[in-house]
Amino acid sequence: MINWDIYQVNSATKNLIGVKFRGSVRKFAIENDIVLLAENAQDEENTVRFALIENTHEQELLEKITNFIRTMISDGEVKQVLNNIPNPILSKLKNNDISRY
């Protein structure tokens, strides 16, 4: 089983949805051989979430991704919201609670 850590990106000044932000992050990951999932959040406004495989040089990757995000959005805030999640759903965090099923 592959477990993932989930992060979310927010901005107080820039729109993240409908401006190809998520696609830019995915493209950056592909070009840099980073295994990453990305989705627009449905449970929070102006939020994009991405997931990285747990324990894969995560701090170094996170720093690289955060620096890239800040080249597009200077006030982009990246924070971890969940960790060690199998088969994550990024659009709605509450769906990752296995007891719901």
Side-chain angles (χ1 to χ4, degrees):
M1 180 69 62
I2 298 172
N3 290 325
W4 299 79
D5 289 337
I6 302 174
Y7 299 86
Q8 72 180 34
V9 182
N10 299 91
S11 171
T13 62
K14 301 285 184 179
N15 190 10
L16 303 178
I17 310 298
V19 293
K20 300 184 180 182
F21 175 77
R22 179 177 44 113
S24 296
V25 172
R26 289 187 68 245
K27 181 179 179 184
F28 174 80
I30 291 167
E31 291 174 344
N32 288 276
D33 294 321
I34 299 170
V35 179
L36 174 140
L37 302 174
E39 289 289 333
N40 294 331
Q42 293 180 359
D43 57 352
E44 289 189 37
E45 287 192 40
N46 202 37
T47 299
V48 171
R49 293 194 182 106
F50 65 90
L52 299 172
I53 296 175
E54 182 184 50
N55 296 325
T56 54
H57 308 289
E58 195 168 321
Q59 191 58 41
E60 180 182 319
L61 290 178
L62 183 59
E63 187 173 311
K64 193 173 189 178
I65 294 164
T66 299
N67 289 339
F68 172 73
I69 288 169
R70 290 199 178 128
T71 65
M72 295 185 296
I73 299 170
S74 61
D75 73 332
E77 178 187 349
V78 178
K79 66 178 179 181
Q80 185 175 14
V81 291
L82 291 174
N83 65 329
N84 196 27
I85 304 296
N87 299 331
I89 297 171
L90 304 180
S91 61
K92 295 182 180 178
L93 292 180
K94 69 179 182 179
N95 290 348
N96 290 299
D97 181 359
I98 196 72
S99 67
R100 295 184 69 235
Y101 302 105

